[in-house]
Amino acid sequence: MRVVRASHLGMCFGVRGAIAKVLRTGAREPLTVLGELVHNESVLEQLAARGIRLRHEVAEVDTPTVAITAHGASDRRRAAVHERGLRILDATCPIVRAAHRAVTALAHDGFHPVIVGTPNHVEVRGLTEDLDEFDVISTPGDVERLSPRARFGVAAQTTQPIERLWQVASLIQRRFPQSEVRVAETVCVPTRLRQEAAEALAAACDVVVVVGGAHSNNTRELCARCRRHCGRVFLVQDAGDLRPEWFEGARVAGLTAGTSTPDAVIDEVEAAMRDIAQRRVA
Ligand code: SF4
């Protein structure tokens, strides 16, 4: 059995930057991260081992400095941090920051913001909490519940597939032909490259292993993409989750990973897959 990696996989620059910032500051002073820095257990364990705290609410923070995650935060949430006299370490990914600017511009120009994404996801909350009015759409079918507006501004959670953004925009235009529809392309390029590479990989493999957190949006999306082309797709958090029987009769096994998966975890999973392949030959 051959083991093949996707041409783009694993941790993106936004997550790497956020982790580096938090580790650097956490080594100097007590630090709390507001929400999960990334949706990956091994990264969260690494932070906890270094004494970096995780709290979900501003009111629960008991260190002078609080880190905003790569997913970003609304101005309201930042104001709540400042009101408590806390200092902000901003680890927001530059691409998420650009998405905030794009959504703000849509609202400012009189477009009703429609965000294509997962309702209540931390990034979507950050994108919408400062808006007076907005809709979040998780499936194209949700377009049916939109009320008529003169102008719709459609943007996406950064990890959404770009096709879904454009599909929703065209469905809105079809449902409201008199309305003006403007699209802000807020989908992140590293995510898109990983999704495209995962599909190409899955099309050429008998089995695909996706490494990532069970709660990671982009990891779940990678699984869904791979399942379009391959009947045997398995999500693992680490090498310990692999099962030799998954690879029964497989000639090519593919490997991809979500944007919050550390390199070391991917390497371990790859080594374990090669080990399974070796044992089958022996
Ligand atoms: S997935 Fe994209 S938007 Fe999210 S942190 Fe990574 S680079 Fe930034």
Side-chain angles (χ1 to χ4, degrees):
M1 180 179 81
R2 267 192 319 124
V3 178
V4 183
R5 278 186 180 226
S7 55
H8 294 272
L9 81 171
M11 209 171 260
C12 58
F13 80 95
V15 168
R16 282 184 204 279
I19 293 172
K21 234 177 199 177
V22 164
L23 287 177
R24 240 185 352 255
T25 304
R28 280 199 313 260
E29 56 179 286
L31 179 66
T32 302
V33 180
L34 200 52
E36 291 188 357
L37 184 62
V38 291
H39 300 308
N40 184 283
E41 285 304 318
S42 67
V43 174
L44 296 177
E45 282 165 16
Q46 190 191 353
L47 298 181
R50 296 181 188 210
I52 297 169
R53 295 160 213 203
L54 164 72
R55 297 287 183 271
H56 289 283
E57 296 304 328
V58 177
E60 299 167 348
V61 176
D62 54 3
T63 56
T65 305
V66 58
I68 302 288
T69 69
H71 303 104
S74 63
D75 288 346
R76 273 182 207 184
R77 199 149 159 91
R78 288 167 192 269
V81 173
H82 285 134
E83 268 166 32
R84 285 208 51 211
L86 306 174
R87 198 174 75 83
I88 287 181
L89 172 71
D90 193 351
T92 306
C93 171
I95 294 178
V96 175
R97 229 178 277 146
H100 275 251
R101 285 196 297 274
V103 171
T104 304
L106 287 173
H108 178 265
D109 292 348
F111 290 83
H112 174 74
V114 176
I115 309 297
V116 182
T118 307
N120 288 323
H121 184 281
V122 58
E123 184 192 319
V124 174
R125 285 208 311 271
L127 285 171
T128 55
E129 269 172 3
D130 294 329
L131 301 170
D132 295 329
E133 281 192 300
F134 63 89
D135 280 290
V136 177
I137 279 192
S138 56
T139 67
D142 290 345
V143 169
E144 289 305 313
R145 62 174 175 75
L146 292 177
S147 305
R149 308 271 176 174
R151 301 167 123 198
F152 289 96
V154 191
Q157 181 181 349
T158 54
T159 48
Q160 287 286 312
I162 187 121
E163 309 84 54
R164 196 172 298 154
L165 169 66
W166 283 101
Q167 185 190 11
V168 166
S170 77
L171 286 172
I172 293 174
Q173 188 68 85
R174 202 180 309 158
R175 175 143 189 253
F176 303 104
Q178 308 303 327
S179 305
E180 185 181 349
V181 178
R182 183 186 284 179
V183 174
E185 273 206 18
T186 50
V187 172
C188 112
V189 172
T191 297
R192 186 163 55 77
L193 290 175
R194 280 155 184 72
Q195 289 169 350
E196 289 169 0
E199 288 206 48
L201 176 81
C205 289
D206 304 303
V207 186
V208 177
V209 172
V210 181
V211 194
H215 305 297
S216 157
N217 211 48
N218 79 83
T219 304
R220 280 201 299 262
E221 187 62 40
L222 285 179
C223 290
R225 294 264 176 155
C226 290
R227 288 192 179 110
R228 290 181 194 166
H229 306 276
C230 178
R232 287 196 271 170
V233 177
F234 301 98
L235 169 63
V236 301
Q237 306 224 31
D238 55 38
D241 291 341
L242 287 174
R243 295 285 167 268
E245 58 271 24
W246 293 346
F247 305 94
E248 213 54 59
R251 283 178 300 125
V252 188
L255 175 65
T256 184
T259 51
S260 48
T261 312
D263 300 342
V265 176
I266 301 172
D267 291 345
E268 277 167 24
V269 172
E270 182 176 11
M273 287 168 70
R274 291 192 187 285
D275 193 44
I276 289 169
Q278 284 280 333
R279 274 188 274 141
R280 274 191 19 205
V281 172

